[in-house]
Amino acid sequence: MKRYAYRIHRTDNARTLSSGVQQTEQTPTELAAALLDRNRVEHSYYDGLRRCWVWEYAADAPLPRTPPDDAESYDG
């Protein structure tokens, strides 16, 4: 299993809606789709576009405030 960090934010003003770390066998694309679906339920007050950044994460690294340059982004 791989460990990924993620950050989901609004596309209209870049405010963070969710962030964290997840260990999974899913691909980054599958993980982003699942995280975006869950985020729509948890933050139903916001009906605009969201962007999910996903990157491989080392267990001992602090979670950054912004996604690293090599993070993959998915809109949904």
Side-chain angles (χ1 to χ4, degrees):
M1 282 215 252
K2 290 188 176 182
R3 182 182 300 242
Y4 294 100
Y6 67 91
R7 183 167 300 278
I8 299 173
H9 66 80
R10 297 167 54 147
T11 58
D12 62 346
N13 65 10
R15 293 178 85 179
T16 296
L17 296 169
S18 182
S19 63
V21 176
Q22 193 133 359
Q23 192 164 333
T24 182
E25 291 184 12
Q26 293 174 303
T27 67
T29 304
E30 294 168 337
L31 176 59
L35 290 168
L36 286 166
D37 286 345
R38 186 176 77 197
N39 189 266
R40 279 187 207 91
V41 172
E42 292 173 351
H43 298 276
S44 59
Y45 59 87
Y46 175 67
D47 61 358
L49 270 174
R50 295 158 167 79
R51 180 164 293 135
C52 181
W53 298 91
V54 177
W55 63 95
E56 285 195 46
Y57 176 77
D60 58 342
L63 193 59
R65 297 181 122 206
T66 58
D69 292 338
D70 63 343
E72 298 178 39
S73 68
Y74 305 90
D75 291 345

